[in-house]
Amino acid sequence: MSVIAVGGMQHETNTFAPSKADFRVFELGGAWPPFQSGPALFAALEGANIPVSGAIEALRAANHRLVPLAWAAASPSAHVTDDAFERIVGTLVAQLAAAGPVDGVYLDLHGAMVTESLDDGEGEILRRVRAAVGPGVPVVASLDLHANVTDAMVAHADALSAYRTYPHVDMAASGARAAALLMRLIGSGERPAKKFQRFDYLTGLPAQCTFIAPAKGLYELLERLESDSGAALSFTPGFPMADFPECSMSALAYGENAAAASALGRFAAAVKDAEPQFVMDLLTPGDAVRRAISAGAPGRPVVLADVQDNPGAGGNGDTTGLLAELLAQRATDAVLGLLIDAASAQRAHDAGIGATLEFALGETSGLAGHSPLRGTFTVERLGDGKFECTGPMFKGFRMALGPMALLRCDGVRVIVASRKVQAADQEMFRCLGVEPATQRIVALKSAVHFRADFEPLASEVLVVRSPGPALADPADFAWRRLRPGIRLGPLGPAFVPPNRGAVPPTGRDQRSPRGPVPSQG
């Protein structure tokens, strides 16, 4: 039996987004379980499709003694505040130091966290953990598929293991895989060779979906190479919304030196060859709604992905461009969710079911050129925002989204919630009496995660380029600090720093302007 410390911190940082992540959002959790520290961690996370839950289950099954540290997660946003980072990571490291000698450390990390003062939040976490346990104790972390893997992360961890699905239906399985790797290192007393490669182009999030080419084939190849070589492989297509030099796609291999190098070389060649297949087809809201009205039918709805306001990529779920288009084209049997607007949700609760009144919906983030959507809506249903998800990705997540309301204007309904989460589980609609399969059009504030639960019922999925801060095409962002020469999309232009001498060194002073807001069409 080994003594293994378990903890982590998850945040995906869109440096162009409008709102930062302070300690309060980690305390609340929202879509994620709230901040945990110490023994309470086990019960709070049990049964959820979360990496740390999968790791705990695997380690306990092998009869290891676990030392619970701090664990926290929050929905993607702009930078994590220094206060939040220091309180959470400071607690984790202090608990680790107080635990005494351990045989290994498992960390549940994202891999794309930027703080007010640090470009590389995970690299700093791993550096502090390594300093606490010394060079001889194995440290392994699981990572999100969208990690922007850095040199510091590779240097301070003995191994990193990333998700292999997007939608992330394998989060718990990835934690278990990382735990198995950690146990192997503890058992052997040896350290594997590390091989790491970055790629020369960025890809938009919708194109990274593992249900479709080329990502589907790349992950199938990864598993074949892993089986053939005996090396542990990871591929991270990256999070192309973090403006710092190490933002990129990357691949990792751990194992016997020659085998790891060979497997990584073959995989890297495949990623380079796949570049043209990552080019995306994005529709304007006008074109998407027209197509959906024509093709949607009850029982086989057209699903519209409002990707650029995706709360899973730093949007606040509050833009109204797609909703306005549904209303303007007089769509019927159409529902949009989730629109995050706490004031409107509370106003609906105050008015009560059946009330018809004027609302000024959404646009609470203060994005330039945006204003709330004004119109008359009827309050059809109300809810407290508490329910458990059942879909493949969020299964076991216990949501606490605050007051919720179902509003209707003619043939269009909108689900309003008070706390942000991307619409990736049908229970987010069913909790207010809406069965998605009965609609003609289902519009979702999500980029890809919705596909796990909604694609099986869809006659067609359309990716919509509606206004929002989580731009679908990386070339649309006003980048300042990327690695010179990296292409801003598949087959796209190479990045040239706008003013190399004036670039600030850290996230604190970055102040990257938001990219242009595409036309609503």
Side-chain angles (χ1 to χ4, degrees):
M1 180 183 72
S2 297
V3 179
I4 298 175
V6 174
M9 183 179 184
Q10 281 234 20
H11 190 265
E12 184 176 69
T13 305
N14 177 344
T15 62
F16 302 94
S19 305
K20 293 182 179 181
D22 59 16
F23 185 68
R24 181 61 175 161
V25 302
F26 288 96
E27 280 189 308
L28 292 172
W32 293 91
F35 171 64
Q36 302 296 324
S37 178
L41 177 151
F42 297 129
L45 305 182
E46 184 177 7
N49 180 28
I50 297 174
V52 68
S53 297
I56 290 169
E57 184 175 347
L59 294 169
R60 279 181 164 170
N63 295 316
H64 296 299
R65 183 165 73 84
L66 304 186
V67 177
L69 309 175
W71 180 92
S75 294
S77 68
H79 304 75
V80 174
T81 64
D82 288 342
D83 173 70
F85 182 83
E86 293 300 334
R87 289 170 73 173
I88 295 165
V89 178
T91 299
L92 185 154
V93 174
Q95 290 169 329
L96 182 58
V102 297
D103 299 303
V105 180
Y106 162 77
L107 295 174
D108 176 8
L109 305 177
H110 185 284
M113 176 165 53
V114 182
T115 77
E116 290 176 315
S117 295
L118 300 166
D119 283 340
D120 178 14
E122 286 85 359
E124 177 64 9
I125 293 172
L126 287 162
R127 185 193 70 78
R128 295 187 192 185
V129 167
R130 175 60 69 198
V133 299
V137 175
V139 176
V140 174
S142 57
L143 298 177
D144 195 286
L145 177 144
H146 298 116
N148 293 319
V149 180
T150 67
D151 291 342
M153 291 163 61
V154 175
H156 295 305
D158 291 292
L160 302 167
S161 183
Y163 310 164
R164 297 178 178 179
T165 62
Y166 182 32
H168 301 328
V169 297
D170 70 330
M171 288 189 290
S174 295
R177 187 168 54 248
L181 188 53
L182 175 61
M183 289 186 282
R184 197 181 318 156
L185 298 184
I186 293 172
S188 69
E190 299 177 354
R191 298 293 181 271
K194 304 176 183 180
K195 304 298 178 183
F196 173 46
Q197 181 165 340
R198 291 195 180 92
F199 298 101
D200 294 331
Y201 63 98
L202 300 177
T203 59
L205 292 185
Q208 297 176 3
C209 176
T210 58
F211 285 10
I212 59 177
K216 183 176 187 292
L218 288 172
Y219 280 98
E220 291 170 349
L221 172 63
L222 181 146
E223 293 195 346
R224 290 197 302 271
L225 290 172
E226 190 173 62
S227 177
D228 292 345
S229 68
L233 299 177
S234 284
F235 171 46
T236 57
F239 187 61
M241 303 184 190
D243 193 9
F244 78 112
E246 293 182 277
C247 176
S248 67
M249 296 200 297
S250 64
L252 292 152
Y254 297 93
E256 189 274 329
N257 188 64
S262 174
L264 185 61
R266 292 175 62 188
F267 186 77
V271 174
K272 292 177 181 179
D273 290 343
E275 183 172 357
Q277 298 178 64
F278 276 111
V279 176
M280 295 177 291
D281 181 20
L282 302 172
L283 298 177
T284 66
D287 288 343
V289 171
R290 276 188 290 274
R291 191 156 147 183
I293 289 173
S294 174
R300 293 295 288 166
V302 172
V303 172
L304 304 180
D306 192 357
V307 299
Q308 297 196 146
D309 191 32
N310 172 23
N316 280 345
D318 67 335
T319 66
T320 58
L322 184 54
L323 176 60
E325 194 63 43
L326 289 166
L327 292 167
Q329 294 196 35
R330 298 185 179 278
T332 58
D333 296 320
V335 61
L336 180 144
L338 301 176
L339 183 71
I340 311 303
D341 182 347
S344 291
Q346 187 58 55
R347 188 156 188 259
H349 276 253
D350 292 342
I353 294 174
T356 298
L357 62 159
E358 292 288 324
F359 282 88
L361 292 176
E363 306 296 357
T364 61
S365 299
L367 294 175
H370 288 232
S371 57
L373 186 152
R374 298 183 180 276
T376 301
F377 291 82
T378 298
V379 181
E380 286 201 339
R381 293 286 291 269
L382 298 170
D384 62 5
K386 294 180 180 179
F387 56 92
E388 184 168 323
C389 292
T390 59
M393 180 181 163
F394 282 146
K395 184 176 177 61
F397 277 50
R398 294 178 286 274
M399 295 288 169
L401 304 183
M404 295 180 68
L406 176 65
L407 308 180
R408 176 178 54 81
C409 178
D410 298 325
V412 178
R413 293 187 290 177
V414 55
I415 293 179
V416 183
S418 298
R419 296 176 190 150
K420 76 173 186 176
V421 60
Q422 67 173 303
D425 195 286
Q426 293 188 53
E427 293 302 324
M428 297 174 183
F429 291 73
R430 291 170 177 153
C431 72
L432 288 180
V434 178
E435 183 57 54
T438 66
Q439 309 302 302
R440 292 177 183 271
I441 301 172
V442 178
L444 303 170
K445 288 189 175 289
S446 176
V448 170
H449 286 323
F450 71 90
R451 288 181 182 265
D453 206 21
F454 287 86
E455 189 165 297
L457 59 85
S459 61
E460 189 175 18
V461 173
L462 304 178
V463 181
V464 188
R465 197 177 196 160
S466 190
L471 303 181
D473 185 344
D476 288 341
F477 284 117
W479 299 101
R480 296 172 59 210
R481 305 182 57 234
L482 289 179
R483 182 172 81 250
I486 190 170
R487 291 189 293 287
L488 300 179
L491 308 180
F495 173 67
V496 178
N499 185 353
R500 198 183 302 257
V503 171
T506 67
R508 177 184 292 279
D509 299 315
Q510 185 174 329
R511 303 294 188 267
S512 297
R514 284 186 291 273
V517 176
S519 167
Q520 291 191 30

